Amino acid sequence: MKRMARVGLALLCLAVPLLLVFEPILLRGRQLAFQDAGHFYYPLLRRVQQEWDAGRWPLWAPEASAGTPLLGNPTAAVLYPGKLVFFVLPHAWAVRWYVVGHVALAFGAMWALLRGWRISPVGSALGSLAYGFGVPLLSQTSNMIFLVGAAWLPLGLLAADRWLRLGQRSALAALALVLALQVLGGDPEAAYLVVVCAGGYAAGLSAAAGPPATISRLLKRLGLAAAAVLIGLLAVSYWAAWVIRWIGTAKIGDPAPIRPPHGAIACALWGVLGVFLVRKARTSPPVRAFLTRSAGLLGASVLGLALAGAQLLPVLEYSSMSFRAAESEGFHDFYAYSPNPLQVLDTIWPNAFGTLEGGYRSWLDMIPPKPANRLWMPSLYLGWLTIVLALSAFGVRKGPPWRAWLSVVAVVSFLAALGSFGSPLLWARLVPGWESVLGPIEPPFNWQVRADGYMRDGDGGVYWLLASLLPGFRSFRYPPKLFVLCSLALSGLAAMGWDRLTERDTESKERSRRAWVVAGALLGVSVCALAASWLGAGPMLGRFNALADSLRNSDEPLNVARAVWDLRAGITHGVVAGVVVCGLILLARRRPRLAGGLAVSVLMLDLVWANAYHVVTVPQDAFEGTPKALEVIREAEQANPSPGPFRVGRIGAWWPSNWFSAGEPRSFASITSWERSTLRPNYNLPLGVRLTYHHDTIEPMDYGLFFLPWSLTPSEQTLRVHGLKPGQKVWYYPRRGFDLWNTRYFIVPGHLSWDSRARGYASVVRGSTLIYPGPNEFDGPGGDERRKRWKETEDFHVFRNEKAFPRAWVVHRAYVVPPIQGLRVNDRFRLVKELIYQADEFWNLPGLPVRDPHTVAWVETDRPRELDPFLSPVDPDPLETVTLTLDEPQRVEFTAVLRSPGLVVVGDMNYPGWTLTVNGRPAEILRTNRAMRGVALPAGTHRLAFRYEPASFRLGIGLSAFGFVALGGLLIWSFRAKPTSLQAA
């Protein structure tokens, strides 16, 4: 009976807030739209399902760039078992239940973790509510792969605890399964963090079992070693800064410097520590116990990776070819979105820095020292009661071992989540006069790493330390994501805090007093802040108005009235919640059962009231219908059909001009509708539209170099022709890069701004024909009104590119070059530069020759003599044709007619896994034009058949099969064996 009551309590605590928070999507048919939920995940998941519906493995997406892996894209999470919901529900409802189901899973997983620690049902309910409906997790509904990782996180820690503390071998199988699900769900970082936290827990348990004197000596030695390691790693950071600066100023032919091998250094340090521990294990039982525990964790990790092998190997293959692989050259910023430390205030004043209702109106980004650093985690609110209970239960002495574990995890994850702001170097640079010695603060929000030779702002901080010491951690990004781990630790401490508060023992009064002190202090601060917001209204409004003026023409304007309202409302919420919590603390001592019921109800109401804002939805029809830009292109194709398949280039990342001039936030429904109307990636994916290039989570480095814009100064004559100022810089999008890759149409902003990266599309205008708006679109009566409405609601042009290359063509001449080795960006760009340079009016370098890819190709091979029979100095014959006869995602066929031996160049991505047969016989695909496919052919008519059959997928399936066999063996072994005692002898 009691068990049924506990289950009923859990279901009630889940169902009520779930219904209240997700009522717009469950009862009103709205859809998630904030951040990546709308433009990224909604169409991407639909594209994956289209491949399943067609009876194919979702391996390749020809609509993304010139074709990219679908299975190899970690954000697609193709093989994650949770995607089964997309087979039984319509897509719109499948997306809704996919998100809601994982929030429910997070709640249930947290409940299982807390009940596994024998936390009371009330305490477990409080902790599960705080974790499942706190903003750090709830905000991940906009980033679904991170939501999946967070949902499984408590079960991973539960399995680790069962193995490390109780020696249950079946827990290793459970841990491996959880890690595999996190990786398959698209969040390998969450799996990584589970293992790291478990490793720290193993060290703590082993150390606690040893003699105090031995532990003291060991900690002293480790402290001395840590100081030396810290200094050494700072030297490596300085070295890396010097290398990045050198690369940015190096001339062609300069020898490359030795780059700091971060991974090798970290592995060497861990190797030294491992040798030390192995030797120490001979005489130290605690060390021996630690190695036994760690061996189990390592085995479970390897098994988890094996289980996920079918998806993991293609992902590793894809990511190894991306810009992230070139991190030492400044193309990957792992400090992105570092949150301002002042954000900690919204743990007690929910949404005090602004909500998202009706659009952006957060003013936290505007606080120095990095005023333009983008906000990623909108709030940290877990409920007032949660913070009070967690702080009152915080500690590393006495109590169960998981209390110390969660306390350490909370502190470390919070400091690491601050990213750059967790480094002393950043704060030292703010001291007047120190900037000349330590270097200036980095420019605000820049995807590229600074290249001026100074160390990063975040170097020396906790996140930097993790990235330096933990192999592979540098490949992750978004430090604030660690707030999810911090929220789990605080929620667990809060659950224990409630039980400690209601226990009847000799220390209960002290615990109650501690809770009173915490609640009273926070309440006092809140009351003072609320008074200050009214008494200091004049200066505060002046500051807010100044900020609003500076942001009036930005993409995130500030609504001063709403910002002030949110600030006061958040503080008032904190004051009211503080008074209620103080009453609950008093009641908990006298009537714990009544207090427990009220505590659960209060926290539930608190979280729903404060956090429902962060589930942003729009009407479902914002995702329906044919986008306007696609309608324009289809009409243009009916009037003037292209000779073959084509791609569409969307240039820039802009918003309608009036959104800035109005100085008011936009609604998310307007944002979603406009983005889809202009075919922002990934909206094109399920519509069959092939976009030439867009910046994705990861993208092939070789392909992206064709399209990356840069700022340059044209010649004086060009500046005069276009009426620009002498010496003015303009943004240049490499026009020939788009031409080469079969870009038949351009979608560009309605207003050209030469010095704006978002609107500097001048290079694509010449040689293109404007088809929308038409030349007479605004003539006649009401034309001015139509033009005004177009600027306000559309603000985009569509051009037809008259210089687009065909999908495939024939050449007879080639520059044969040795294959490029390594992942250095400059080495690759030298070749790409020859391809895309055409000496146009903007990018014209005297003396630099212009090549014509219509007649010559660049072929990389280490067997150049084998190409000689197929090359000649003749130009292509007009009668030589390459016709596309079959165009499917994983199978493409051409018929090529050559009058003499030559090379067929195919404007599709040259990617591992593509195979070729010519007239039914296997043939070699040549790396051509750096990222294209080339085929050497004799004269005659040939049938070319390309198939995507990746070896990484086949090997991955074998690895997963082996993993399942090993998992079964582990389960049989664990059920037949008694639990292993891991306590130090």
Side-chain angles (χ1 to χ4, degrees), residues 156 231 255 257 332 463 595 667 704 729 800 925 981:
I231 294 173
H332 175 56
Y463 193 80
S667 71
K729 287 184 173 295
R800 179 169 46 236
I925 299 176
S981 176

Side-chain angles (χ1 to χ4, degrees), residues 418-613:
L418 296 178
S420 296
F421 290 100
S423 168
L425 180 60
L426 169 65
W427 301 104
R429 283 174 170 164
L430 295 175
V431 178
W434 288 28
E435 180 180 300
S436 59
V437 178
L438 301 175
I441 289 179
E442 294 181 57
F445 195 72
N446 186 0
W447 280 111
Q448 278 192 262
V449 177
R450 69 187 304 167
D452 56 6
Y454 289 104
M455 294 168 61
R456 305 292 313 282
D457 287 345
D459 290 354
V462 177
Y463 193 80
W464 163 85
L465 190 62
L466 294 176
S468 300
L469 286 178
L470 300 178
F473 197 83
R474 282 178 173 268
S475 62
F476 303 124
R477 55 180 178 175
Y478 305 146
K481 184 186 167 187
L482 288 171
F483 280 132
V484 174
L485 183 60
C486 182
S487 72
L488 184 150
L490 291 175
S491 299
L493 287 171
M496 284 185 276
W498 180 261
D499 284 4
R500 287 162 59 88
L501 184 64
T502 56
E503 285 178 354
R504 298 291 185 178
D505 56 25
T506 56
E507 298 182 1
S508 60
K509 289 184 178 180
E510 177 61 30
R511 295 168 183 164
S512 179
R513 187 180 300 111
R514 185 175 181 179
W516 266 107
V517 170
V518 172
L522 295 180
L523 180 58
V525 171
S526 300
V527 170
C528 293
L530 182 60
S533 71
W534 290 98
L535 297 177
M540 181 178 68
L541 285 173
R543 176 61 176 164
F544 273 39
N545 285 323
L547 289 170
D549 290 339
S550 67
L551 295 169
R552 191 166 300 281
N553 295 323
S554 75
D555 61 348
E556 294 183 6
L558 179 66
N559 183 324
V560 173
R562 294 299 308 183
V564 172
W565 166 265
D566 286 338
L567 174 62
R568 289 173 175 161
I571 300 175
T572 302
H573 184 120
V575 171
V576 174
V579 172
V580 173
V581 167
C582 288
L584 284 174
I585 295 174
L586 178 63
L587 186 63
R589 292 286 301 157
R590 299 177 179 179
R591 302 186 63 182
R593 287 193 176 183
L594 176 60
L598 290 175
V600 171
S601 301
V602 165
L603 181 60
M604 193 184 303
L605 178 63
D606 185 11
L607 292 172
V608 170
W609 186 272
N611 296 347
Y613 289 109

Side-chain angles (χ1 to χ4, degrees), residues 162-438:
R162 283 288 187 264
W163 160 248
L164 296 173
R165 187 170 54 88
L166 303 177
Q168 293 181 358
R169 293 170 180 173
S170 59
L172 291 177
L175 177 59
L177 195 57
V178 169
L179 298 178
L181 289 168
Q182 289 177 310
V183 172
L184 290 173
D187 193 6
E189 185 180 6
Y192 197 115
L193 292 174
V194 168
V195 177
V196 170
C197 292
Y201 192 32
L205 289 172
S206 301
T214 303
I215 296 174
S216 179
R217 287 195 301 271
L218 180 61
L219 290 178
K220 288 179 181 179
R221 293 175 182 176
L222 289 176
L224 293 174
V229 169
L230 182 64
I231 294 173
L233 291 175
L234 286 171
V236 171
S237 293
Y238 178 79
W239 179 10
W242 176 83
V243 169
I244 292 173
R245 181 178 184 276
W246 184 95
I247 290 172
T249 58
K251 299 179 181 178
I252 296 178
D254 290 347
I258 300 176
R259 291 174 291 182
H262 295 98
I265 292 173
C267 290
L269 291 173
W270 283 107
V272 171
L273 179 61
V275 170
F276 169 77
L277 291 176
V278 169
R279 295 187 61 184
K280 193 71 176 176
R282 300 174 183 175
T283 58
S284 174
V287 173
R288 192 157 54 246
F290 170 71
L291 292 179
T292 302
R293 291 180 168 105
S294 299
L297 293 177
L298 180 61
S301 302
V302 172
L303 179 55
L305 295 178
L307 291 170
Q311 182 173 295
L312 180 62
L313 292 189
V315 167
L316 293 177
E317 179 181 64
Y318 187 29
S319 60
S320 68
M321 303 169 61
S322 71
F323 280 110
R324 290 199 190 189
E327 61 181 272
S328 63
E329 295 188 37
F331 278 89
H332 175 56
D333 182 9
F334 57 89
Y335 293 124
Y337 295 100
S338 295
N340 194 300
L342 284 179
Q343 193 173 2
V344 71
L345 293 177
D346 66 19
T347 58
I348 56 173
W349 306 332
N351 308 315
F353 292 103
T355 61
L356 300 173
E357 185 185 25
Y360 291 97
R361 57 170 180 263
S362 170
W363 53 276
L364 183 64
D365 288 340
M366 310 156 207
I367 300 175
K370 301 184 78 172
N373 193 35
R374 298 298 180 98
L375 188 66
W376 193 83
M377 184 71 71
S379 174
L380 304 179
Y381 195 65
L382 301 174
W384 234 84
L385 181 60
T386 303
I387 296 302
V388 171
L389 293 175
L391 292 178
S392 66
F394 182 89
V396 295
R397 295 183 178 182
K398 300 181 180 181
W402 50 83
R403 176 174 176 246
W405 184 29
L406 292 181
S407 297
V408 173
V409 168
V411 172
V412 174
S413 59
F414 175 79
L415 294 176
L418 296 178
S420 296
F421 290 100
S423 168
L425 180 60
L426 169 65
W427 301 104
R429 283 174 170 164
L430 295 175
V431 178
W434 288 28
E435 180 180 300
S436 59
V437 178
L438 301 175

Side-chain angles (χ1 to χ4, degrees), residues 443-797:
F445 195 72
N446 186 0
W447 280 111
Q448 278 192 262
V449 177
R450 69 187 304 167
D452 56 6
Y454 289 104
M455 294 168 61
R456 305 292 313 282
D457 287 345
D459 290 354
V462 177
Y463 193 80
W464 163 85
L465 190 62
L466 294 176
S468 300
L469 286 178
L470 300 178
F473 197 83
R474 282 178 173 268
S475 62
F476 303 124
R477 55 180 178 175
Y478 305 146
K481 184 186 167 187
L482 288 171
F483 280 132
V484 174
L485 183 60
C486 182
S487 72
L488 184 150
L490 291 175
S491 299
L493 287 171
M496 284 185 276
W498 180 261
D499 284 4
R500 287 162 59 88
L501 184 64
T502 56
E503 285 178 354
R504 298 291 185 178
D505 56 25
T506 56
E507 298 182 1
S508 60
K509 289 184 178 180
E510 177 61 30
R511 295 168 183 164
S512 179
R513 187 180 300 111
R514 185 175 181 179
W516 266 107
V517 170
V518 172
L522 295 180
L523 180 58
V525 171
S526 300
V527 170
C528 293
L530 182 60
S533 71
W534 290 98
L535 297 177
M540 181 178 68
L541 285 173
R543 176 61 176 164
F544 273 39
N545 285 323
L547 289 170
D549 290 339
S550 67
L551 295 169
R552 191 166 300 281
N553 295 323
S554 75
D555 61 348
E556 294 183 6
L558 179 66
N559 183 324
V560 173
R562 294 299 308 183
V564 172
W565 166 265
D566 286 338
L567 174 62
R568 289 173 175 161
I571 300 175
T572 302
H573 184 120
V575 171
V576 174
V579 172
V580 173
V581 167
C582 288
L584 284 174
I585 295 174
L586 178 63
L587 186 63
R589 292 286 301 157
R590 299 177 179 179
R591 302 186 63 182
R593 287 193 176 183
L594 176 60
L598 290 175
V600 171
S601 301
V602 165
L603 181 60
M604 193 184 303
L605 178 63
D606 185 11
L607 292 172
V608 170
W609 186 272
N611 296 347
Y613 289 109
H614 301 288
V615 178
V616 179
T617 64
V618 300
Q620 177 64 40
D621 58 16
F623 296 92
E624 309 297 340
T626 303
K628 178 65 176 181
L630 182 55
E631 287 181 352
V632 170
I633 291 172
R634 286 176 176 173
E635 291 173 1
E637 281 297 295
Q638 289 178 353
N640 182 13
S642 298
F646 59 86
R647 296 187 175 97
V648 177
R650 191 182 190 274
I651 310 295
W654 76 100
W655 303 103
S657 299
N658 81 296
W659 287 6
F660 306 119
S661 59
E664 294 290 334
R666 290 84 61 197
S667 71
F668 286 103
S670 299
I671 293 174
T672 302
S673 297
W674 182 85
E675 287 181 338
R676 189 172 184 274
S677 178
T678 58
L679 286 179
R680 174 178 176 173
N682 287 319
Y683 283 122
N684 65 297
L685 292 181
L687 300 174
V689 181
R690 302 188 177 190
L691 287 191
T692 306
Y693 177 74
H694 66 273
H695 183 83
D696 202 349
T697 305
I698 56 176
E699 61 282 321
M701 184 195 317
D702 292 323
Y703 186 72
L705 292 174
F706 282 85
F707 311 103
L708 294 180
W710 65 88
S711 181
L712 53 78
T713 302
S715 66
E716 293 183 4
Q717 179 181 355
T718 300
L719 293 172
R720 285 197 303 270
V721 168
H722 292 285
L724 302 178
K725 299 177 181 179
Q728 179 174 339
K729 287 184 173 295
V730 302
W731 276 95
Y732 179 79
Y733 283 85
R735 168 61 179 273
R736 184 182 273 181
F738 289 93
D739 294 345
L740 268 170
W741 290 95
N742 189 221
T743 306
R744 175 70 164 163
Y745 293 93
F746 292 114
I747 302 173
V748 300
H751 168 65
L752 170 64
S753 180
W754 295 86
D755 57 353
S756 167
R757 178 170 181 167
R759 291 177 172 268
Y761 61 86
S763 62
V764 309
V765 175
R766 181 164 293 185
S768 299
T769 303
L770 179 65
I771 62 172
Y772 183 79
N776 303 319
E777 188 81 19
F778 305 117
D779 293 346
D784 291 340
E785 183 62 28
R786 292 196 302 275
R787 183 186 300 275
K788 179 181 178 182
R789 187 164 57 251
W790 169 78
K791 287 183 178 180
E792 292 177 350
T793 61
E794 296 185 9
D795 191 20
F796 72 92
H797 287 306

